[in-house]
mmCIF file of all heavy atoms in Angstrom:
data_model
loop_
_atom_site.group_PDB
_atom_site.id
_atom_site.type_symbol
_atom_site.label_atom_id
_atom_site.label_comp_id
_atom_site.label_asym_id
_atom_site.label_seq_id
_atom_site.Cartn_x
_atom_site.Cartn_y
_atom_site.Cartn_z
ATOM 1 N N THR N 30 -6.848 -26.387 -11.240
ATOM 2 C CA THR N 30 -6.012 -26.687 -10.075
ATOM 3 C C THR N 30 -5.755 -28.184 -10.027
ATOM 4 O O THR N 30 -6.307 -28.961 -10.826
ATOM 5 C CB THR N 30 -6.698 -26.234 -8.788
ATOM 6 O OG1 THR N 30 -7.865 -27.033 -8.581
ATOM 7 C CG2 THR N 30 -7.110 -24.773 -8.843
ATOM 8 N N ARG N 31 -4.937 -28.597 -9.095
ATOM 9 C CA ARG N 31 -4.591 -30.024 -9.002
ATOM 10 C C ARG N 31 -5.810 -30.868 -8.721
ATOM 11 O O ARG N 31 -5.913 -32.014 -9.180
ATOM 12 C CB ARG N 31 -3.555 -30.217 -7.883
ATOM 13 C CG ARG N 31 -3.055 -31.668 -7.744
ATOM 14 C CD ARG N 31 -2.097 -31.790 -6.589
ATOM 15 N NE ARG N 31 -2.762 -31.509 -5.327
ATOM 16 C CZ ARG N 31 -3.455 -32.442 -4.642
ATOM 17 N NH1 ARG N 31 -3.601 -33.661 -5.111
ATOM 18 N NH2 ARG N 31 -4.034 -32.121 -3.501
ATOM 19 N N VAL N 32 -6.766 -30.311 -7.950
ATOM 20 C CA VAL N 32 -7.936 -31.111 -7.559
ATOM 21 C C VAL N 32 -9.137 -30.846 -8.452
ATOM 22 O O VAL N 32 -10.234 -31.316 -8.166
ATOM 23 C CB VAL N 32 -8.287 -30.852 -6.093
ATOM 24 C CG1 VAL N 32 -7.182 -31.343 -5.177
ATOM 25 C CG2 VAL N 32 -8.576 -29.372 -5.868
ATOM 26 N N GLY N 33 -8.947 -30.016 -9.515
ATOM 27 C CA GLY N 33 -10.054 -29.787 -10.426
ATOM 28 C C GLY N 33 -10.212 -28.320 -10.775
ATOM 29 O O GLY N 33 -9.611 -27.433 -10.143
ATOM 30 N N PRO N 34 -11.048 -27.996 -11.749
ATOM 31 C CA PRO N 34 -11.252 -26.601 -12.164
ATOM 32 C C PRO N 34 -12.174 -25.848 -11.197
ATOM 33 O O PRO N 34 -13.190 -26.378 -10.763
ATOM 34 C CB PRO N 34 -11.898 -26.735 -13.544
ATOM 35 C CG PRO N 34 -12.600 -28.062 -13.497
ATOM 36 C CD PRO N 34 -11.755 -28.957 -12.637
ATOM 37 N N GLN N 35 -11.766 -24.631 -10.889
ATOM 38 C CA GLN N 35 -12.595 -23.771 -10.019
ATOM 39 C C GLN N 35 -13.625 -23.051 -10.890
ATOM 40 O O GLN N 35 -13.271 -22.323 -11.811
ATOM 41 C CB GLN N 35 -11.725 -22.768 -9.266
ATOM 42 C CG GLN N 35 -10.771 -23.406 -8.265
ATOM 43 C CD GLN N 35 -9.918 -22.382 -7.539
ATOM 44 O OE1 GLN N 35 -9.817 -21.232 -7.965
ATOM 45 N NE2 GLN N 35 -9.292 -22.806 -6.443
ATOM 46 N N GLN N 36 -14.912 -23.211 -10.545
ATOM 47 C CA GLN N 36 -15.988 -22.675 -11.368
ATOM 48 C C GLN N 36 -16.530 -21.337 -10.847
ATOM 49 O O GLN N 36 -16.833 -20.432 -11.625
ATOM 50 C CB GLN N 36 -17.138 -23.692 -11.420
ATOM 51 C CG GLN N 36 -16.766 -25.007 -12.083
ATOM 52 C CD GLN N 36 -16.543 -24.856 -13.574
ATOM 53 O OE1 GLN N 36 -16.957 -23.863 -14.183
ATOM 54 N NE2 GLN N 36 -15.868 -25.831 -14.169
ATOM 55 N N SER N 37 -16.696 -21.185 -9.538
ATOM 56 C CA SER N 37 -17.279 -19.960 -8.964
ATOM 57 C C SER N 37 -16.851 -19.838 -7.506
ATOM 58 O O SER N 37 -16.313 -20.790 -6.921
ATOM 59 C CB SER N 37 -18.816 -19.988 -9.074
ATOM 60 O OG SER N 37 -19.321 -21.128 -8.389
ATOM 61 N N ARG N 38 -17.138 -18.682 -6.962
ATOM 62 C CA ARG N 38 -16.799 -18.457 -5.554
ATOM 63 C C ARG N 38 -17.832 -17.523 -4.918
ATOM 64 O O ARG N 38 -18.431 -16.686 -5.599
ATOM 65 C CB ARG N 38 -15.394 -17.872 -5.416
ATOM 66 C CG ARG N 38 -15.243 -16.466 -5.988
ATOM 67 C CD ARG N 38 -13.787 -16.064 -6.113
ATOM 68 N NE ARG N 38 -13.114 -16.063 -4.826
ATOM 69 C CZ ARG N 38 -11.776 -16.007 -4.692
ATOM 70 N NH1 ARG N 38 -11.019 -15.977 -5.777
ATOM 71 N NH2 ARG N 38 -11.235 -15.998 -3.503
ATOM 72 N N ILE N 39 -18.027 -17.680 -3.643
ATOM 73 C CA ILE N 39 -18.919 -16.801 -2.885
ATOM 74 C C ILE N 39 -18.155 -16.323 -1.649
ATOM 75 O O ILE N 39 -17.407 -17.101 -1.029
ATOM 76 C CB ILE N 39 -20.223 -17.509 -2.486
ATOM 77 C CG1 ILE N 39 -21.194 -16.533 -1.820
ATOM 78 C CG2 ILE N 39 -19.958 -18.711 -1.578
ATOM 79 C CD1 ILE N 39 -22.588 -17.119 -1.611
ATOM 80 N N GLY N 40 -18.311 -15.052 -1.326
ATOM 81 C CA GLY N 40 -17.559 -14.493 -0.205
ATOM 82 C C GLY N 40 -18.427 -13.613 0.692
ATOM 83 O O GLY N 40 -19.422 -13.033 0.250
ATOM 84 N N LEU N 41 -18.056 -13.543 1.954
ATOM 85 C CA LEU N 41 -18.753 -12.709 2.936
ATOM 86 C C LEU N 41 -17.710 -11.991 3.777
ATOM 87 O O LEU N 41 -16.789 -12.626 4.310
ATOM 88 C CB LEU N 41 -19.652 -13.562 3.829
ATOM 89 C CG LEU N 41 -20.488 -12.802 4.865
ATOM 90 C CD1 LEU N 41 -21.521 -11.928 4.176
ATOM 91 C CD2 LEU N 41 -21.174 -13.788 5.821
ATOM 92 N N ASN N 42 -17.849 -10.649 3.897
ATOM 93 C CA ASN N 42 -16.885 -9.842 4.652
ATOM 94 C C ASN N 42 -17.622 -8.926 5.619
ATOM 95 O O ASN N 42 -18.652 -8.337 5.270
ATOM 96 C CB ASN N 42 -16.025 -8.989 3.701
ATOM 97 C CG ASN N 42 -15.123 -9.834 2.837
ATOM 98 O OD1 ASN N 42 -14.142 -10.402 3.298
ATOM 99 N ND2 ASN N 42 -15.466 -9.928 1.554
ATOM 100 N N GLN N 43 -17.099 -8.797 6.814
ATOM 101 C CA GLN N 43 -17.666 -7.921 7.834
ATOM 102 C C GLN N 43 -16.556 -7.041 8.396
ATOM 103 O O GLN N 43 -15.525 -7.531 8.851
ATOM 104 C CB GLN N 43 -18.296 -8.735 8.962
ATOM 105 C CG GLN N 43 -18.809 -7.901 10.132
ATOM 106 C CD GLN N 43 -19.977 -7.023 9.734
ATOM 107 O OE1 GLN N 43 -21.016 -7.525 9.340
ATOM 108 N NE2 GLN N 43 -19.810 -5.708 9.828
ATOM 109 N N MET N 44 -16.786 -5.703 8.381
ATOM 110 C CA MET N 44 -15.824 -4.769 8.941
ATOM 111 C C MET N 44 -16.191 -4.462 10.389
ATOM 112 O O MET N 44 -17.367 -4.364 10.746
ATOM 113 C CB MET N 44 -15.794 -3.470 8.134
ATOM 114 C CG MET N 44 -15.242 -3.614 6.719
ATOM 115 S SD MET N 44 -13.545 -4.219 6.663
ATOM 116 C CE MET N 44 -12.663 -2.910 7.533
ATOM 117 N N PHE N 45 -15.180 -4.275 11.219
ATOM 118 C CA PHE N 45 -15.353 -3.956 12.634
ATOM 119 C C PHE N 45 -14.572 -2.687 12.956
ATOM 120 O O PHE N 45 -13.365 -2.623 12.682
ATOM 121 C CB PHE N 45 -14.850 -5.105 13.521
ATOM 122 C CG PHE N 45 -15.611 -6.384 13.341
ATOM 123 C CD1 PHE N 45 -15.187 -7.323 12.402
ATOM 124 C CD2 PHE N 45 -16.746 -6.648 14.083
ATOM 125 C CE1 PHE N 45 -15.879 -8.504 12.223
ATOM 126 C CE2 PHE N 45 -17.451 -7.833 13.910
ATOM 127 C CZ PHE N 45 -17.017 -8.762 12.975
ATOM 128 N N PRO N 46 -15.239 -1.668 13.516
ATOM 129 C CA PRO N 46 -14.501 -0.451 13.892
ATOM 130 C C PRO N 46 -13.621 -0.707 15.103
ATOM 131 O O PRO N 46 -13.685 -1.761 15.738
ATOM 132 C CB PRO N 46 -15.617 0.549 14.208
ATOM 133 C CG PRO N 46 -16.768 -0.297 14.626
ATOM 134 C CD PRO N 46 -16.674 -1.574 13.834
ATOM 135 N N TRP N 47 -12.817 0.290 15.426
ATOM 136 C CA TRP N 47 -11.923 0.185 16.572
ATOM 137 C C TRP N 47 -12.739 -0.015 17.861
ATOM 138 O O TRP N 47 -13.873 0.415 17.971
ATOM 139 C CB TRP N 47 -11.046 1.430 16.674
ATOM 140 C CG TRP N 47 -9.959 1.322 17.709
ATOM 141 C CD1 TRP N 47 -9.956 1.869 18.947
ATOM 142 C CD2 TRP N 47 -8.731 0.602 17.591
ATOM 143 N NE1 TRP N 47 -8.816 1.552 19.625
ATOM 144 C CE2 TRP N 47 -8.031 0.760 18.811
ATOM 145 C CE3 TRP N 47 -8.145 -0.167 16.577
ATOM 146 C CZ2 TRP N 47 -6.781 0.205 19.055
ATOM 147 C CZ3 TRP N 47 -6.895 -0.721 16.811
ATOM 148 C CH2 TRP N 47 -6.232 -0.539 18.038
ATOM 149 N N PHE N 48 -12.107 -0.676 18.814
ATOM 150 C CA PHE N 48 -12.792 -1.029 20.053
ATOM 151 C C PHE N 48 -13.402 0.207 20.726
ATOM 152 O O PHE N 48 -12.715 1.197 20.949
ATOM 153 C CB PHE N 48 -11.806 -1.697 21.018
ATOM 154 C CG PHE N 48 -11.058 -2.850 20.401
ATOM 155 C CD1 PHE N 48 -9.738 -2.708 19.989
ATOM 156 C CD2 PHE N 48 -11.689 -4.058 20.190
ATOM 157 C CE1 PHE N 48 -9.054 -3.766 19.411
ATOM 158 C CE2 PHE N 48 -11.017 -5.118 19.614
ATOM 159 C CZ PHE N 48 -9.689 -4.975 19.215
ATOM 160 N N GLY N 49 -14.679 0.103 21.038
ATOM 161 C CA GLY N 49 -15.369 1.172 21.755
ATOM 162 C C GLY N 49 -15.956 2.252 20.868
ATOM 163 O O GLY N 49 -16.626 3.173 21.369
ATOM 164 N N THR N 50 -15.729 2.159 19.540
ATOM 165 C CA THR N 50 -16.234 3.211 18.646
ATOM 166 C C THR N 50 -17.762 3.229 18.618
ATOM 167 O O THR N 50 -18.391 4.294 18.696
ATOM 168 C CB THR N 50 -15.686 3.011 17.225
ATOM 169 O OG1 THR N 50 -14.268 3.051 17.253
ATOM 170 C CG2 THR N 50 -16.205 4.105 16.293
ATOM 171 N N LEU N 51 -18.375 2.069 18.511
ATOM 172 C CA LEU N 51 -19.837 2.011 18.427
ATOM 173 C C LEU N 51 -20.495 2.495 19.714
ATOM 174 O O LEU N 51 -21.504 3.220 19.674
ATOM 175 C CB LEU N 51 -20.283 0.583 18.112
ATOM 176 C CG LEU N 51 -19.890 0.047 16.732
ATOM 177 C CD1 LEU N 51 -20.423 -1.367 16.549
ATOM 178 C CD2 LEU N 51 -20.411 0.961 15.629
ATOM 179 N N SER N 52 -19.948 2.109 20.864
ATOM 180 C CA SER N 52 -20.537 2.563 22.127
ATOM 181 C C SER N 52 -20.376 4.069 22.286
ATOM 182 O O SER N 52 -21.271 4.745 22.819
ATOM 183 C CB SER N 52 -19.889 1.834 23.304
ATOM 184 O OG SER N 52 -18.497 2.117 23.362
ATOM 185 N N ALA N 53 -19.244 4.616 21.799
ATOM 186 C CA ALA N 53 -19.045 6.067 21.859
ATOM 187 C C ALA N 53 -20.057 6.788 20.970
ATOM 188 O O ALA N 53 -20.618 7.825 21.353
ATOM 189 C CB ALA N 53 -17.624 6.425 21.441
ATOM 190 N N LYS N 54 -20.321 6.238 19.788
ATOM 191 C CA LYS N 54 -21.343 6.836 18.917
ATOM 192 C C LYS N 54 -22.721 6.748 19.568
ATOM 193 O O LYS N 54 -23.541 7.664 19.442
ATOM 194 C CB LYS N 54 -21.363 6.122 17.566
ATOM 195 C CG LYS N 54 -20.158 6.424 16.690
ATOM 196 C CD LYS N 54 -20.291 5.737 15.335
ATOM 197 C CE LYS N 54 -19.135 6.106 14.418
ATOM 198 N NZ LYS N 54 -19.247 5.463 13.089
ATOM 199 N N GLY N 55 -22.989 5.631 20.265
ATOM 200 C CA GLY N 55 -24.252 5.506 20.977
ATOM 201 C C GLY N 55 -24.389 6.540 22.074
ATOM 202 O O GLY N 55 -25.478 7.084 22.297
ATOM 203 N N ASP N 56 -23.277 6.832 22.758
ATOM 204 C CA ASP N 56 -23.304 7.864 23.801
ATOM 205 C C ASP N 56 -23.623 9.234 23.214
ATOM 206 O O ASP N 56 -24.379 10.014 23.805
ATOM 207 C CB ASP N 56 -21.956 7.904 24.530
ATOM 208 C CG ASP N 56 -21.706 6.651 25.349
ATOM 209 O OD1 ASP N 56 -22.684 5.988 25.726
ATOM 210 O OD2 ASP N 56 -20.532 6.333 25.611
ATOM 211 N N VAL N 57 -23.052 9.516 22.047
ATOM 212 C CA VAL N 57 -23.337 10.800 21.379
ATOM 213 C C VAL N 57 -24.825 10.907 21.065
ATOM 214 O O VAL N 57 -25.470 11.922 21.364
ATOM 215 C CB VAL N 57 -22.509 10.930 20.079
ATOM 216 C CG1 VAL N 57 -22.962 12.157 19.281
ATOM 217 C CG2 VAL N 57 -21.032 11.049 20.395
ATOM 218 N N ALA N 58 -25.390 9.857 20.477
ATOM 219 C CA ALA N 58 -26.803 9.891 20.095
ATOM 220 C C ALA N 58 -27.713 9.933 21.322
ATOM 221 O O ALA N 58 -28.745 10.608 21.311
ATOM 222 C CB ALA N 58 -27.136 8.667 19.239
ATOM 223 N N THR N 59 -27.325 9.226 22.385
ATOM 224 C CA THR N 59 -28.147 9.221 23.603
ATOM 225 C C THR N 59 -28.215 10.614 24.222
ATOM 226 O O THR N 59 -29.296 11.082 24.622
ATOM 227 C CB THR N 59 -27.576 8.223 24.619
ATOM 228 O OG1 THR N 59 -27.601 6.902 24.058
ATOM 229 C CG2 THR N 59 -28.394 8.234 25.902
ATOM 230 N N GLU N 60 -27.068 11.269 24.315
ATOM 231 C CA GLU N 60 -27.051 12.620 24.888
ATOM 232 C C GLU N 60 -27.800 13.603 23.995
ATOM 233 O O GLU N 60 -28.455 14.527 24.497
ATOM 234 C CB GLU N 60 -25.605 13.083 25.095
ATOM 235 C CG GLU N 60 -24.799 12.242 26.076
ATOM 236 C CD GLU N 60 -25.414 12.219 27.460
ATOM 237 O OE1 GLU N 60 -26.026 13.222 27.860
ATOM 238 O OE2 GLU N 60 -25.286 11.186 28.148
ATOM 239 N N GLN N 61 -27.739 13.415 22.695
ATOM 240 C CA GLN N 61 -28.499 14.276 21.784
ATOM 241 C C GLN N 61 -30.000 14.069 21.979
ATOM 242 O O GLN N 61 -30.780 15.029 21.917
ATOM 243 C CB GLN N 61 -28.108 13.977 20.334
ATOM 244 C CG GLN N 61 -26.773 14.545 19.912
ATOM 245 C CD GLN N 61 -26.769 16.059 19.823
ATOM 246 O OE1 GLN N 61 -27.814 16.709 19.836
ATOM 247 N NE2 GLN N 61 -25.589 16.643 19.762
ATOM 248 N N ALA N 62 -30.410 12.826 22.220
ATOM 249 C CA ALA N 62 -31.831 12.562 22.463
ATOM 250 C C ALA N 62 -32.278 13.225 23.765
ATOM 251 O O ALA N 62 -33.377 13.805 23.835
ATOM 252 C CB ALA N 62 -32.079 11.054 22.525
ATOM 253 N N LYS N 63 -31.438 13.159 24.795
ATOM 254 C CA LYS N 63 -31.761 13.831 26.056
ATOM 255 C C LYS N 63 -31.862 15.338 25.838
ATOM 256 O O LYS N 63 -32.731 16.007 26.417
ATOM 257 C CB LYS N 63 -30.700 13.516 27.103
ATOM 258 C CG LYS N 63 -30.683 12.065 27.562
ATOM 259 C CD LYS N 63 -29.565 11.827 28.565
ATOM 260 C CE LYS N 63 -29.522 10.368 29.025
ATOM 261 N NZ LYS N 63 -28.410 10.133 29.975
ATOM 262 N N SER N 64 -30.969 15.859 25.016
ATOM 263 C CA SER N 64 -31.015 17.298 24.701
ATOM 264 C C SER N 64 -32.314 17.655 23.995
ATOM 265 O O SER N 64 -32.925 18.693 24.284
ATOM 266 C CB SER N 64 -29.812 17.665 23.825
ATOM 267 O OG SER N 64 -29.907 18.997 23.376
ATOM 268 N N GLN N 65 -32.761 16.775 23.088
ATOM 269 C CA GLN N 65 -34.012 17.040 22.374
ATOM 270 C C GLN N 65 -35.209 17.003 23.314
ATOM 271 O O GLN N 65 -36.166 17.760 23.142
ATOM 272 C CB GLN N 65 -34.200 16.014 21.260
ATOM 273 C CG GLN N 65 -35.416 16.244 20.388
ATOM 274 C CD GLN N 65 -35.417 17.606 19.713
ATOM 275 O OE1 GLN N 65 -34.415 18.018 19.140
ATOM 276 N NE2 GLN N 65 -36.537 18.316 19.784
#
């Protein structure tokens, strides 16, 4: 590149579900625990 050769790279990625998906899954598991 203009500023020098690129030797290596490191990357970090995080996926996020649609808003409210995790809390809805928590509600499912909570009610299942109450059922148990």
Side-chain angles (χ1 to χ4, degrees):
T30 67
R31 183 183 64 84
V32 295
Q35 294 180 344
Q36 296 290 343
S37 59
R38 66 193 299 166
I39 186 171
L41 183 66
N42 293 288
Q43 175 66 62
M44 293 300 298
F45 297 91
W47 188 258
F48 308 103
T50 301
L51 294 181
S52 62
K54 288 183 176 181
D56 292 336
V57 171
T59 299
E60 298 300 328
Q61 284 291 347
K63 292 178 181 178
S64 173
Q65 184 58 47

